[in-house]
Amino acid sequence: MIGIYFCYRLALPFLAALTWALTITVLAGQLHRRVVRRIKWPRLAAGLSVAMLAVCVLLPLAFLAHHLAGALVAGIENLQKNIASGDLQRAIETYPLLVWANSLFGPNLTALF
């Protein structure tokens, strides 16, 4: 019984990756079976299945990365605008915790940006 517990503790860091691997295997299995029925060469069918799965994963990731970069640029521009107008310094002076952080980082916390 204690061996099962240790195996569980050993597998715990890999549980998320194993869950995703099992999910992708189940979902891609049907796709691969369809490709194998149409293409008679096993290696070509496997390569085509992997390529199709890679496209299905990489296209949404590229879309998210593009929008994340746009949001990051907009956020930095907004931060620079708030620093230039003095709004950020007024916001820092409003909250006691930020006043304390400002005293740790010198006379002007916005100088970090």
Side-chain angles (χ1 to χ4, degrees):
M1 194 61 159
I2 197 158
I4 293 173
Y5 173 74
F6 282 128
C7 286
Y8 164 75
R9 294 292 295 176
L10 185 64
L12 195 59
F14 306 104
L15 206 52
L18 289 171
T19 302
W20 276 108
L22 181 64
T23 303
I24 291 172
T25 301
V26 169
L27 294 175
Q30 183 68 25
L31 170 73
H32 181 66
R33 280 190 289 278
R34 287 183 183 178
V35 171
V36 166
R37 269 188 263 141
R38 297 187 196 285
I39 297 175
K40 299 302 178 198
W41 298 286
R43 290 182 183 180
L44 180 62
L48 193 58
S49 295
V50 168
M52 290 168 54
L53 193 61
V55 166
C56 290
V57 170
L58 293 179
L59 280 179
L61 285 178
F63 178 75
L64 286 175
H66 174 71
H67 284 285
L68 179 64
L72 183 63
V73 167
I76 290 173
E77 288 172 352
N78 190 20
L79 181 63
Q80 289 174 342
K81 184 182 76 171
N82 286 336
I83 290 172
S85 68
D87 290 342
L88 186 63
Q89 186 63 37
R90 283 190 291 280
I92 289 172
E93 293 166 356
T94 306
Y95 298 100
L97 183 62
L98 294 178
V99 171
W100 173 76
N102 193 18
S103 68
L104 285 179
F105 291 108
N108 191 359
L109 182 62
T110 58
L112 292 174
F113 299 104

